[in-house]
Amino acid sequence: QQQVKQSPQSLIVQKGGISIINCAYENTAFDYFPWYQQFPGKGPALLIAIRPDVSEKKEGRFTISFNKSAKQFSLHIMDSQPGDSATYFCAGRSNTGKLIFGQGTTLQVKP
Amino acid sequence: EAGVAQSPRYKIIEKRQSVAFWCNPISGHATLYWYQQILGQGPKLLIQFQNNGVVDDSQLPKDRFSAERLKGVDSTLKIQPAKLEDSAVYLCASSSIRGSYNEQFFGPGTRLTVL
């Protein structure tokens, strides 16, 4: 199975709050789990990524938590800012480099 | 370094017409991908090239879609004839080494509207 399921579909957070987006995957052969950020009219851009042998990765305000046994991973955005308002996609990568994307989460951070 | 270039940025056509999209990847990137992103969904891989050879085209509707990557650099994606459900953003991405952790860099996309 190749699916990656992402939730919620949309999220509204106050400035300074924590944004949490969740993903679940089925393919245990995925070797890399990136998160992409997409602004309107732009292509997706890599935000942060994790390998399945690591349980957590933090880069600045962005943290990925990874639960291999549950086949779930999540993105936490600490101290959310209006500039973080965008669509976020999780993905799983196959051994050929093919990315299977989730459905996306539209985040709105209110000032 | 220059990013992935795509043209045109927007295209409006009638159903049953033909359309072509062009992509110039980041210099030196051997792997090139074409994705289809329907409004409100995540990108879906249509075709992946390694240099000028096809690695994966399992989700390319081959009765109407075709793609080529001449000389392992630029690529063209064609739709002939277009259907209403082809309305989407077509994204091109490139990466430097297949199967590594190297990230895929995406272009701005071509927004296709089929009327």
Side-chain angles (χ1 to χ4, degrees):
Chain A
Q1 292 287 345
Q2 292 276 315
Q3 277 190 309
V4 177
K5 296 183 179 179
Q6 183 172 346
S7 63
Q9 186 174 358
S10 63
L11 184 60
I12 300 174
V13 173
Q14 290 295 128
K15 178 182 176 182
I18 302 173
S19 304
I20 302 174
I21 305 170
N22 300 299
C23 284
Y25 64 98
E26 299 172 354
N27 188 343
T28 55
F30 287 152
D31 65 357
Y32 175 72
F33 296 87
W35 284 89
Y36 279 81
Q37 180 187 55
Q38 186 175 30
F39 293 103
K42 305 289 186 182
L46 180 67
L47 184 64
I48 186 172
I50 196 167
R51 293 168 45 172
D53 56 349
V54 176
S55 61
E56 185 176 281
K57 184 173 182 179
K58 183 176 181 179
E59 290 183 0
R61 296 184 294 110
F62 302 92
T63 300
I64 301 176
S65 296
F66 190 86
N67 185 331
K68 187 174 181 177
S69 61
K71 293 190 284 186
Q72 295 175 347
F73 58 111
S74 61
L75 176 69
H76 292 63
I77 306 174
M78 311 299 289
D79 187 26
S80 298
Q81 299 297 312
D84 297 331
S85 297
T87 301
Y88 293 81
F89 294 96
C90 62
R93 197 186 72 164
S94 73
N95 60 357
T96 62
K98 175 179 180 177
L99 289 176
I100 307 298
F101 284 88
Q103 299 92 324
T105 297
T106 301
L107 171 65
Q108 181 184 357
V109 181
K110 290 193 169 183
Chain B
E1 110 189 313
V4 176
Q6 291 188 247
S7 68
R9 291 296 314 277
Y10 305 92
K11 191 74 176 178
I12 300 174
I13 62 172
E14 302 266 336
K15 61 182 178 183
R16 290 187 289 273
Q17 285 188 322
S18 301
V19 65
F21 313 128
W22 174 82
C23 172
N24 182 239
I26 292 172
S27 178
H29 280 193
T31 310
L32 184 147
Y33 313 79
W34 282 102
Y35 289 86
Q36 179 192 57
Q37 185 175 22
I38 293 172
L39 185 65
Q41 297 182 21
K44 181 185 80 172
L45 181 70
L46 293 176
I47 189 166
Q48 176 183 345
F49 292 95
Q50 173 75 4
N51 295 310
N52 60 352
V54 175
V55 173
D56 185 341
D57 63 356
S58 58
Q59 297 193 86
L60 186 74
K62 298 180 185 65
D63 57 334
R64 298 184 302 105
F65 286 63
S66 64
E68 61 181 7
R69 190 181 184 197
L70 300 177
K71 300 180 182 178
V73 182
D74 293 6
S75 178
T76 303
L77 177 69
K78 296 180 181 177
I79 307 175
Q80 180 179 8
K83 292 185 175 182
L84 296 176
E85 59 261 35
D86 298 332
S87 293
V89 174
Y90 291 84
L91 295 163
C92 179
S94 68
S95 65
S96 63
I97 301 173
R98 181 172 79 91
S100 74
Y101 296 124
N102 287 353
E103 69 177 281
Q104 292 184 25
F105 293 84
F106 284 81
T110 296
R111 180 175 298 277
L112 173 67
T113 302
V114 182
L115 302 176

